[in-house]
Amino acid sequence: MLIDRAEVVVTSPDRNFVTLKLTTDDGLSGLGDATLNGREMAVVAYLRDHVVPMLIGRDAHRIEDTWQLLYRGAYWRRGPVTMAAIAAVDTALWDIKARAAGMPLYQLLGGACRDGLLAYGHASGQDLPELFDSIRERRALGFRAIRVQSGVPGLPPVYGTASAARDVEVWDSRSYLRHLPSVFEAVRSEFGPQLPLLHDVHHRLTPIQAARLGKALEPYDLFWLEDCTPAENQEALRLVRQHTTTPLAIGEVFNTVWDYQQIVREQLIDYVRSAVTHTGGITHLRRILDFAAQYQIRSGMHGPQDVSPVGMAAALHLGLALHNFGIQEYNPHGARTDEVFRQSFTFTDGLLHPGSEPGLGVSLDVDEAGKYPYARAYLPVNRLTDGTLHDW
């Protein structure tokens, strides 16, 4: 079963997506997500100009060997562009293999370890009444766990709130640190102690500020505190760990097992946040999560709207088969995206399931995708109140 054709499809139904479609000489096709938010066309060029010519004529069944070829054979390793391209190939090959076997992909990964995947939804508000309404809306949709993001008094809308600016945001860490504990106190008072609550700092604090926040939030029993400080300096997380027992989730900007080596081995985190799409595909993310399992660290795979339905389906198949699954982020896509990518995965009573169709259970309508051409877009930037560029 040889790879006969490779197509890179770029479409922007509700936002930009990059999809790799591989087709074999016996007519089987598989899909992989290669979307890199704000730098999509860099991955398109990497795939079209460098990867696709290497794939034609290769045995589609040789997933591990192809992964090693694309990683080691390029000499220049790691990084988000490379690993997103490898992820697309890897996921598409797993899709083909499962379609050839006539079974959903998770069966090839060892079968289901659970009946469904606990998902968390996003709730936000500029003030408490707006936030409470948002939490109630998510609970009405069936979510059993909620990520809570709040506006900060004195600042324009900030990351995670529905009305946040999409070009330049303004930030002040001291104002945020003073305000956020009162938000979780109010949420716990309104919704009780049982509801799992999560919060995303989005890399904005220094290590000592992150330690202070984690300690201040301990009375409110968070499921996790996400990306509390930029994780390039992994030793900094030792300081956070010394001062708080609030669980930590890190890694949505990580791309390889090497990014996790120290923080997993030293047990400096509790949840791995990487997405299949940005971390070398199913093959490589499973390696990371098997490594993490030795230290009782669980999965918390990244699942924003800029991971396409193909990438989301891959996460669900992997999560269903993992023993150390933790929770899955789920931010449903828009109606136009759902027309381009037809999906078999379901969300019922707070649980996701990838479905029983062979392969990933996602099909791409190329004609529908063609209605929505690429539209250049960038992520916001973040500046302090004095204009200094800060982490977004």
Side-chain angles (χ1 to χ4, degrees):
M1 189 167 65
L2 305 181
I3 299 171
D4 184 61
R5 192 165 68 255
E7 305 163 76
V8 182
V9 178
V10 183
T11 184
S12 187
D14 296 295
R15 53 140 295 110
N16 292 318
F17 296 111
V18 179
T19 306
L20 177 67
K21 182 178 181 181
L22 299 180
T23 304
T24 66
D25 55 0
D26 53 2
L28 285 176
S29 293
L31 302 176
D33 182 19
T35 307
L36 187 63
N37 194 358
R39 294 294 185 269
E40 296 90 352
M41 300 309 286
V43 189
V44 170
Y46 194 99
L47 283 169
R48 284 179 176 166
D49 297 340
H50 302 289
V51 173
V52 164
M54 300 174 68
L55 298 177
I56 304 303
R58 287 189 60 81
D59 185 347
H61 280 308
R62 297 184 63 172
I63 297 175
E64 178 66 27
D65 186 62
T66 300
W67 195 98
Q68 297 295 340
L69 173 68
L70 296 179
Y71 183 79
R72 299 179 187 277
Y75 185 72
W76 308 106
R77 304 178 184 180
R78 306 166 67 180
V81 174
T82 295
M83 299 308 286
I86 293 174
V89 176
D90 183 79
T91 303
L93 291 179
W94 276 111
D95 192 14
I96 289 171
K97 186 179 283 286
R99 289 174 186 266
M103 58 181 60
L105 174 56
Y106 70 83
Q107 295 288 14
L108 298 190
L109 301 176
C113 281
R114 56 198 49 82
D115 296 328
L117 305 169
L118 177 66
Y120 72 88
H122 295 184
S124 68
Q126 275 299 102
D127 53 29
L128 289 177
E130 187 176 305
L131 174 60
F132 288 178
D133 286 344
S134 183
I135 293 173
R136 293 186 186 101
E137 289 171 4
R138 297 303 176 273
R139 296 189 76 184
L141 291 173
F143 284 102
R144 302 183 189 178
I146 307 290
R147 191 188 80 167
V148 172
Q149 305 295 133
S150 171
V152 178
L155 296 182
V158 297
Y159 166 81
T161 56
S163 54
R166 301 311 297 169
D167 46 7
V168 179
E169 296 181 8
V170 179
W171 183 253
D172 181 71
S173 295
R174 287 175 58 83
S175 298
Y176 166 77
L177 287 168
R178 286 194 301 269
H179 178 63
L180 193 67
S182 67
V183 172
F184 278 90
E185 180 180 26
V187 170
R188 279 286 179 229
S189 178
E190 179 71 16
F191 295 96
Q194 300 300 323
L195 180 64
L197 301 177
L198 306 87
H199 179 70
D200 185 2
V201 182
H202 223 245
H203 319 102
R204 298 188 176 202
L205 300 179
T206 66
I208 196 64
Q209 289 172 335
R212 171 186 163 188
L213 179 62
K215 188 172 183 178
L217 293 176
E218 284 178 8
Y220 312 114
D221 187 27
L222 267 64
F223 188 96
W224 77 35
L225 185 65
E226 178 183 346
D227 287 333
C228 59
T229 189
E232 289 94 334
N233 177 13
Q234 298 188 7
E235 293 181 2
L237 290 167
R238 294 175 185 163
L239 178 62
V240 183
R241 276 294 209 212
Q242 290 168 5
H243 292 282
T244 182
T245 58
T246 296
L248 302 178
I250 293 284
E252 71 180 56
V253 297
F254 287 177
N255 309 120
T256 72
V257 70
W258 304 107
D259 298 318
Y260 283 100
Q261 187 177 29
Q262 179 178 2
I263 58 176
V264 167
R265 189 176 61 243
E266 297 188 22
Q267 301 177 71
L268 299 178
I269 61 171
D270 302 280
Y271 295 92
V272 167
R273 281 287 289 141
S274 286
V276 171
T277 300
H278 304 133
T279 321
I282 292 167
T283 295
H284 193 62
L285 186 51
R286 178 147 201 179
R287 286 196 187 102
I288 294 171
L289 291 166
D290 285 344
F291 171 46
Q294 298 177 66
Y295 300 91
Q296 297 179 289
I297 296 170
R298 296 182 175 274
S299 73
M301 283 178 262
H302 195 39
Q305 287 181 327
D306 52 271
V307 167
S308 84
V310 175
M312 175 59 69
L316 301 188
H317 283 278
L318 179 57
L320 199 68
L322 285 172
H323 177 260
N324 59 324
F325 171 80
I327 198 169
Q328 176 63 54
E329 181 179 22
Y330 179 47
N331 201 0
H333 293 96
R336 290 184 297 188
T337 296
D338 290 342
E339 288 296 315
V340 173
F341 300 93
R342 300 299 178 94
Q343 310 136 39
S344 68
F345 63 78
T346 58
F347 177 63
T348 306
D349 194 26
L351 301 177
L352 288 159
H353 193 281
S356 59
E357 291 186 9
L360 288 173
V362 180
S363 62
L364 172 66
D365 187 328
V366 177
D367 292 335
E368 191 69 20
K371 297 178 182 178
Y372 307 106
Y374 168 74
R376 183 182 290 114
Y378 297 100
L379 292 169
V381 297
N382 189 31
R383 293 185 180 272
L384 302 180
T385 53
D386 68 359
T388 304
L389 197 69
H390 193 58
D391 293 298
W392 183 76

